[in-house]
Amino acid sequence: MILSESIEDYLKAIYALQREAGKVLTTQLAERLEVKPASVTGMVRKLAQMKLVTYKPYQGVELTRSGQKIALEVIRHHRLLELYLSEVMGLPWDKVHIEAEKLEHALSEELEDRIDELLGHPTTDPHGSPIPSKAGKVSSSDSHRLSELKQGEKAKIAEVNDEDAGFLRYVAKLGLFPGKVIEVVSVAPYKGPLTLKVNENKIVIGCEAAEQIMVSKTIA
């Protein structure tokens, strides 16, 4: 099945929103893709006719097995490209996302396999996000939002939201890269900032920013 870039973008966005909140509302999809709600409704109905999603007005959108398979394939392309651009081409981690967005739709299966082999069959991208396998499997994790940690808890940075280049530069300055172990020194009340210990240094990060960082309490 040959699909347009727009259809692949919709399926990828639906998958991401499902991962965050389950069934997806068309208003959420419109906000994420920055398009008008009427355009989203039209596309979702088209995707439903293609049996890539199930959709009932006012009840949300959900990927079918076929839709999820396509979404995961596009995500695999995207994250492999991010890692290739970072490790082989030397692009900073705040620039690879937008470049991968341009290339993910054009990546052939042969080139995908070559990149995968060259990189040693990686399981995560530069931001810690899991790379789906060739078979469309995604590794499970015990990750939580950094903002959910309590005083005294230790964790390892697992994944950083990669959609905002400015945010990635900010996180890099704080030293909060995937794999870094942190300890919560204190948490201010009423969704106040968190004080963290990183490499014996103390840093402060706001709750809103901490919500964009996933951590694992399994440190070993």
Side-chain angles (χ1 to χ4, degrees):
M1 183 189 300
I2 299 177
L3 303 175
S4 67
E5 291 185 13
S6 179
I7 286 176
E8 290 184 345
D9 284 340
Y10 265 83
L11 295 175
K12 187 174 71 168
I14 294 169
Y15 177 85
L17 288 168
Q18 274 187 191
R19 185 184 175 208
E20 295 170 9
K23 195 165 286 189
V24 181
L25 299 177
T26 54
T27 51
Q28 294 174 306
L29 199 50
E31 183 177 349
R32 188 176 187 92
L33 293 171
E34 298 181 343
V35 296
K36 295 180 179 178
S39 298
V40 170
T41 300
M43 176 59 84
V44 165
R45 285 174 174 162
K46 179 179 179 180
L47 295 176
Q49 290 174 351
M50 298 171 71
K51 300 189 183 305
L52 297 177
V53 304
T54 58
Y55 168 64
K56 292 183 179 180
Y58 310 109
Q59 294 185 34
V61 185
E62 192 170 3
L63 291 174
T64 62
R65 184 173 298 180
S66 296
Q68 179 169 296
K69 181 180 178 181
I70 294 167
L72 287 170
E73 183 178 359
V74 178
I75 291 168
R76 174 175 167 81
H77 287 181
H78 180 95
R79 293 177 179 172
L80 280 172
L81 283 165
E82 283 192 334
L83 194 60
Y84 179 82
L85 292 168
S86 175
E87 292 198 354
V88 180
M89 304 297 290
L91 262 65
W93 82 330
D94 59 297
K95 295 184 181 296
V96 295
H97 177 74
I98 191 169
E99 294 299 332
E101 287 276 291
K102 301 173 186 176
L103 299 169
E104 63 189 24
H105 304 289
L107 189 66
S108 68
E109 296 305 303
E110 181 180 1
L111 188 54
E112 172 200 323
D113 291 341
R114 287 180 178 269
I115 291 174
D116 184 42
E117 184 176 0
L118 175 66
L119 295 174
H121 308 292
T123 56
T124 59
D125 72 8
H127 313 106
S129 301
I131 298 174
S133 70
K134 186 78 173 177
K137 303 294 184 181
V138 183
S139 59
S140 58
S141 69
D142 66 341
S143 58
H144 310 266
R145 295 187 188 277
L146 175 56
S147 58
E148 296 173 355
L149 295 187
K150 298 177 181 179
Q151 182 176 338
E153 288 191 300
K154 290 185 178 181
K156 180 170 62 178
I157 304 297
E159 183 178 349
V160 179
N161 190 318
D162 67 352
E163 295 181 2
D164 185 336
F167 177 70
L168 287 172
R169 289 191 291 271
Y170 168 68
V171 169
K173 287 181 179 179
L174 295 177
L176 299 177
F177 296 101
K180 185 69 68 176
V181 175
I182 59 95
E183 180 180 352
V184 180
V185 177
S186 64
V187 181
Y190 303 108
K191 294 188 176 181
L194 291 77
T195 301
L196 309 176
K197 182 187 288 186
V198 185
N199 292 337
E200 301 305 319
N201 297 317
K202 290 184 179 180
I203 64 170
V204 177
I205 183 170
C207 184
E208 184 176 349
E211 288 179 351
Q212 303 302 310
I213 300 174
M214 305 301 291
V215 299
S216 171
K217 294 182 181 180
T218 304
I219 297 176

